[in-house]
Amino acid sequence: MYRKDRFTYLASGREDVGEDSYKQYYGKRGAQWVRLQQTDGTKVFFINHHGPLPVSEDGGCTGSATAHNIMRVIAQNAHKGDGIILMGDFNAQGSSSRIQELNKRLDHVYSGTSMGGVDHIYSNCGEGAEGRNLGKGAGQDGSDHDALSVTFHFR
């Protein structure tokens, strides 16, 4: 979902980039992306990911391989000059190989605190970005994760 009064759809896709460990197996884990153009001409590549379990597991298809696969999806689908925003529940804390690998390739913009900090936002244009934690929702529709908000300033 995006604001159609501010963005024009350019392309989108989905690809599996990881898989849960046999220790806590639910299946393969994907990355969904959309490429949009703002009314001012700025092009943005958004990619969302829900990472493999168990939380912070390394090795196999859960650790740094997942990070490499995410970066491959970005390289194959983003265009030169695009602002890149990668976000999601990575099921990985900051010390995990998954997150350490992403830290080498994109600017870490903001992370949540729930479950030891498994929700992250990255970008190639994160300078001056302002993030905040909006907390968890209340009631039956609330989440076990914090809602994160980041404002980016594209130049």
Side-chain angles (χ1 to χ4, degrees):
M1 181 179 345
Y2 60 93
R3 289 184 51 180
K4 293 180 180 170
D5 63 325
R6 292 190 57 196
F7 292 95
T8 301
Y9 171 87
L10 299 173
S12 64
R14 183 202 180 287
E15 189 171 331
D16 289 331
V17 294
E19 189 169 9
D20 293 335
S21 165
Y22 70 91
K23 299 173 193 171
Q24 191 176 359
Y25 192 82
Y26 291 94
K28 294 183 179 180
R29 300 300 179 125
Q32 307 78 34
W33 60 269
V34 63
R35 192 165 173 263
L36 303 171
Q37 182 171 339
Q38 293 189 74
T39 53
D40 69 359
T42 303
K43 293 181 179 132
V44 185
F45 183 87
F46 292 96
I47 181 167
N48 181 65
H49 170 63
H50 189 188
L53 290 168
V55 168
S56 296
E57 181 84 2
D58 291 338
C61 294
T62 63
S64 57
T66 298
H68 287 283
N69 286 334
I70 291 169
M71 294 307 300
R72 179 183 45 75
V73 170
I74 292 170
Q76 289 175 342
N77 297 288
H79 293 211
K80 184 177 180 178
D82 285 359
I84 296 168
I85 299 173
L86 166 63
M87 64 209 136
D89 169 6
F90 289 79
N91 280 323
Q93 297 161 340
S95 61
S96 72
S97 65
R98 212 173 312 164
I99 298 306
Q100 292 300 309
E101 198 61 42
L102 288 172
N103 287 342
K104 295 175 187 175
R105 289 163 172 69
L106 290 169
D107 296 327
H108 173 262
V109 176
Y110 198 76
S111 292
T113 57
S114 69
M115 295 177 224
V118 296
D119 304 306
H120 306 280
I121 301 172
Y122 286 89
S123 182
N124 67 339
C125 53
E127 186 178 330
E130 301 161 12
R132 57 190 186 125
N133 189 325
L134 304 176
K136 294 180 174 90
Q140 70 179 21
D141 295 326
S143 175
D144 57 346
H145 292 262
D146 298 317
L148 306 180
S149 174
V150 174
T151 301
F152 290 90
H153 304 281
F154 296 103
R155 294 171 177 79

